[in-house]
Amino acid sequence: MSANVIATCFALIAFTGSIIVGIAAGNTALTTLYRSVVAMFVCLFIGKVVGYVGQRSIETSIEEYKLAHPIPSDPMKTPDEASDEQVALPEAEVGETKQTHQRSAA
């Protein structure tokens, strides 16, 4: 979830709550609306901070998990060995492999 979505939710909840509380307290419409808009902008800023911190902590956790649990390409090799080694077939074997595939397809 994006930090902006979280910030928007914070702001709208603050605005709605402030309107309800202002009306229940018997404040004038102008006072209630002014305080609700101020609360909305304050909570928008707080929501952006909370959303950014949450987003960064989730991204960090995912990266740490990926590093701790790599997808193995060969169960007998470590991830470092598998990425360093490139497999190259000699030309004679490549030709034999192509002929074998052509025979099996026919």
Side-chain angles (χ1 to χ4, degrees):
M1 202 182 283
S2 172
N4 290 331
V5 173
I6 293 173
T8 303
C9 290
F10 269 48
L12 291 176
I13 289 171
F15 182 78
T16 305
S18 182
I19 290 284
I20 291 170
V21 169
I23 291 172
N27 293 334
T28 65
L30 187 60
T31 303
T32 302
L33 189 59
Y34 173 74
R35 290 178 181 170
S36 297
V37 170
V38 169
M40 180 178 67
F41 283 113
V42 168
C43 287
L44 182 69
F45 175 73
I46 293 170
K48 281 190 183 270
V49 172
V50 169
Y52 177 75
V53 169
Q55 187 174 0
R56 289 295 301 152
S57 66
I58 290 171
E59 289 172 358
T60 304
S61 296
I62 290 172
E63 288 301 318
E64 288 175 359
Y65 181 84
K66 285 181 180 179
L67 289 174
H69 302 91
I71 299 174
S73 58
D74 186 1
M76 301 305 286
K77 296 179 184 176
T78 64
D80 293 332
E81 292 173 342
S83 65
D84 292 341
E85 195 175 290
Q86 292 182 355
V87 177
L89 294 176
E91 285 298 319
E93 290 182 23
V94 172
E96 291 173 11
T97 307
K98 286 182 182 177
Q99 290 173 0
T100 305
H101 286 296
Q102 290 172 355
R103 287 182 199 153
S104 62

